[in-house]
Amino acid sequence: MGKKRFLIIFGFFLTAVVSAGITYGAVKYNEISNISNDPFGKLRSTYQTIKTDYYKDAKTEDLVDGAIRGMLGALEDPYSTYMDTKEAKGFQENISSSFEGIGAEVQESDGAIMIVSPIKGSPAEAAGLKPKDKILKVDNTSVEGMSVNEAIMLIRGEKGSKVKLLVERSGVGELNFTITRDTIPIETVHFEKMDDGIGKIQITKFSESTDKELAKAVSELTKQNVKGFVIDLRQNPGGLLEQAVYMSDLFIAKGKNILQVENKDGSKEVYKAENEDKIDLPVVVVVDEGTASAAEIMAAALHQSAGIPIIGDKTFGKGTIQTTKAFKDGSSVKYTIAKWLTPDGHWIHEKGIKPQYAVSLPEYAKLPYLDPEKTLKEEDSSAEVKVAQQMLQALGYNNVKANGIFDPATKQEVEKFQKENGIAVNGQIGGETTIKMIESLQKKLIENDTQLEEAVNVLKKQLAS
């Protein structure tokens, strides 16, 4: 009898014995008890079957947690999830106090764990993680199929400890990161008086005290007689909706819309500005692909209801609102309750906000991270070598060709870089050399922040008019 024929006959035989309720091999087929019209009948019956017939003891707590995760997963909404006690505590810390980790906002997207935005000044930002990087593994553990909170608990850890991430970046491929965890501070607003009397205010996320921090920044800069404000919302993953409302209220005339909330039944609630004394100095807003959620609410509100121009790249595009429900054991569910719309009623979900002044950072700002623990040397050929060559080119070492081959010309330029930066000359890229290259690029980016430069130019034109 041929193999193909045997498989066909075996398939028929198995179907026959299943239909008859007969035991075959190691599989026993039994009909689960009859279920009434009660929609939870199958759930209760399955639970009872597992508790009585499963070959090992199953913890009731684990079964209940699994059922809740399954219900939320069936919604196919990356922003609705179950959080056990540990996960819920971590979530609360992220919006109310400091925590220890790498400092990156993540979400589930099409079954993958994706970076929304690294937090300003965090290890994640310093390492070079970018918005929309997809995390594949954490310390060699695949995160496929995990909830976003399960992945977060793997990524977080004690200050000073290291975590390895394997990520996939669109147009680049897979990248390895080794990141040293640190304390992520609660301070969410940073400000300074720039040249020409312009006040720069950077908001990194929207937590419980951000409105007070913003008010303080505006007050301090006003005392320094600034002529206008640049509100920097780049790499801001969002946070609390009420904070976006309070903060937008500072810049919008009383009675004008801040946002609209569309409920399940189609009804809409309109949030309007209530501040009697709005800021009357010129303002511009800077955004990028890491500007999300509450940060998008503020950007849209300031533009549509106060005529404030937006500069930068198209934003992330998160137009839903979540709330949490806590259980007595400390666990909780986070779930979507409504859409938020811009003041004029548009839904920017998965579309983002297009700036009036489209400006991107220099190409070298998008270069992947180089792992300092990995050594690149002459005769190596890899994607990492190409990245290192592109870094050297961006730093002015133009005799290098970005072809991914560590040739003698590359070695010569590496030696030149090492000599000029007081590093032991060996012609290899790794350790101190890699760290110095990254630091030099970051410094150059600060000095050549094309988005901030355009924001200042737009603000100056307003001041001159």
Side-chain angles (χ1 to χ4, degrees):
M1 182 182 292
K3 183 177 180 181
K4 182 175 181 182
R5 184 182 174 192
F6 172 79
L7 290 174
I8 294 172
I9 293 174
F10 178 79
F12 172 78
F13 177 70
L14 183 59
T15 302
V17 297
V18 169
S19 300
I22 300 172
T23 299
Y24 180 83
V27 183
K28 184 177 181 180
Y29 296 90
N30 289 311
E31 182 180 348
I32 294 178
S33 58
N34 291 329
I35 299 169
S36 66
N37 292 328
D38 179 2
F40 293 97
K42 286 199 298 183
L43 184 63
R44 279 191 286 267
S45 181
T46 301
Y47 168 78
Q48 192 59 47
T49 298
I50 292 172
K51 292 294 289 184
T52 57
D53 296 344
Y54 187 60
Y55 82 107
K56 292 195 297 185
D57 288 336
K59 293 182 179 179
T60 296
E61 180 182 347
D62 292 342
L63 294 177
V64 172
D65 285 358
I68 297 172
R69 290 187 194 278
M71 281 191 282
L72 289 163
L75 299 175
E76 297 184 348
D77 176 4
Y79 305 108
S80 296
T81 184
Y82 171 73
M83 297 178 281
D84 62 26
T85 304
K86 188 175 180 181
E87 293 167 343
K89 180 182 177 182
F91 175 78
Q92 188 60 34
E93 286 177 346
N94 195 32
I95 61 174
S96 61
S97 65
S98 63
F99 62 92
E100 294 182 349
I102 66 170
E105 184 82 7
V106 300
Q107 72 166 49
E108 185 183 348
S109 177
D110 296 328
I113 305 300
M114 183 174 68
I115 300 290
V116 174
S117 181
I119 296 170
K120 177 68 177 177
S122 68
E125 183 190 49
L129 286 177
K130 302 290 184 183
K132 300 192 177 179
D133 282 350
K134 291 183 179 179
I135 300 175
L136 304 179
K137 292 183 179 179
V138 179
D139 287 333
N140 297 319
T141 298
S142 172
V143 298
E144 184 178 359
M146 286 188 184
S147 71
V148 67
N149 292 298
E150 289 173 323
I152 286 172
M153 299 318 296
L154 283 180
I155 297 168
R156 284 189 177 177
E158 293 183 1
K159 176 181 178 180
S161 63
K162 293 184 178 181
V163 61
K164 293 183 178 180
L165 301 183
L166 175 66
V167 309
E168 183 179 44
R169 181 171 297 169
S170 178
V172 176
E174 294 185 359
L175 301 169
N176 286 286
F177 295 81
T178 300
I179 305 174
T180 301
R181 300 179 178 101
D182 202 349
T183 299
I184 310 304
I186 60 173
E187 188 177 42
T188 58
V189 177
H190 309 267
F191 63 93
E192 63 175 305
K193 184 179 180 179
M194 303 170 66
D195 294 339
D196 301 315
I198 292 173
K200 176 192 171 188
I201 301 176
Q202 183 170 32
I203 305 169
T204 58
K205 65 177 180 177
F206 290 70
S207 61
E208 290 177 345
S209 62
T210 305
D211 60 331
K212 297 179 180 63
E213 292 181 52
L214 176 60
K216 178 183 176 181
V218 170
S219 176
E220 291 293 329
L221 289 171
T222 300
K223 290 177 184 177
Q224 298 177 42
N225 298 314
V226 296
K227 301 174 184 177
F229 296 102
V230 173
I231 307 297
D232 190 347
L233 295 176
R234 291 177 294 178
Q235 302 296 295
N236 185 320
L240 300 174
L241 180 145
E242 64 180 19
Q243 289 290 312
V245 173
Y246 297 154
M247 293 158 65
S248 299
D249 199 22
L250 294 173
F251 302 91
I252 298 173
K254 183 177 179 179
K256 291 197 171 184
N257 291 355
I258 292 176
L259 81 153
Q260 301 181 43
V261 174
E262 184 177 320
N263 299 307
K264 182 177 183 179
D265 61 4
S267 63
K268 294 180 181 178
E269 302 171 55
V270 180
Y271 289 72
K272 294 181 178 292
E274 299 178 354
N275 189 9
E276 298 279 359
D277 187 24
K278 79 175 187 68
I279 294 168
D280 58 2
L281 293 176
V283 179
V284 297
V285 174
V286 190
V287 300
D288 65 6
E289 68 278 6
T291 304
S293 188
E296 292 176 293
I297 290 175
M298 185 173 182
L302 267 57
H303 174 61
Q304 293 187 5
S305 294
I308 292 172
I310 301 175
I311 294 96
D313 291 311
K314 186 175 72 170
T315 63
F316 184 83
K318 179 183 179 292
T320 55
I321 301 169
Q322 286 71 43
T323 191
T324 59
K325 180 177 181 179
F327 300 109
K328 289 182 179 180
D329 65 355
S331 62
S332 65
V333 291
K334 178 168 67 76
Y335 55 100
T336 300
I337 56 172
K339 301 175 182 178
W340 69 263
L341 312 177
T342 60
D344 65 1
H346 281 84
W347 195 35
I348 59 92
H349 194 62
E350 297 182 349
K351 301 174 186 175
I353 300 169
K354 291 184 178 180
Q356 289 68 61
Y357 298 85
V359 183
S360 295
L361 292 173
E363 282 299 312
Y364 58 79
K366 302 175 184 178
L367 286 176
Y369 172 74
L370 272 186
D371 188 348
E373 295 186 2
K374 186 170 184 178
T375 300
L376 306 176
K377 59 186 183 301
E378 191 172 9
E379 297 185 359
D380 282 351
S381 177
S382 66
E384 288 92 344
V385 171
K386 183 174 181 178
V387 170
Q389 291 168 330
Q390 290 172 315
M391 286 184 173
L392 288 167
Q393 287 179 340
L395 293 172
Y397 296 87
N398 297 317
N399 289 331
V400 172
K401 291 183 179 179
N403 55 13
I405 302 171
F406 204 125
D407 53 21
T410 300
K411 180 180 179 181
Q412 185 177 1
E413 293 295 82
V414 171
E415 291 173 344
K416 184 178 177 182
F417 174 83
Q418 292 171 330
K419 185 177 180 180
E420 291 177 353
N421 287 276
I423 302 170
V425 178
N426 61 10
Q428 298 180 358
I429 299 174
E432 186 180 0
T433 299
T434 301
I435 292 171
K436 189 62 179 180
M437 287 171 62
I438 293 172
E439 289 177 349
S440 298
L441 268 184
Q442 290 174 338
K443 181 180 179 182
K444 182 174 181 178
L445 186 58
I446 292 173
E447 295 171 350
N448 296 276
D449 189 337
T450 50
Q451 292 173 333
L452 182 59
E453 288 173 4
E454 181 64 12
V456 171
N457 289 334
V458 172
L459 192 59
K460 285 181 177 178
K461 289 178 183 177
Q462 292 185 23
L463 290 168
S465 61

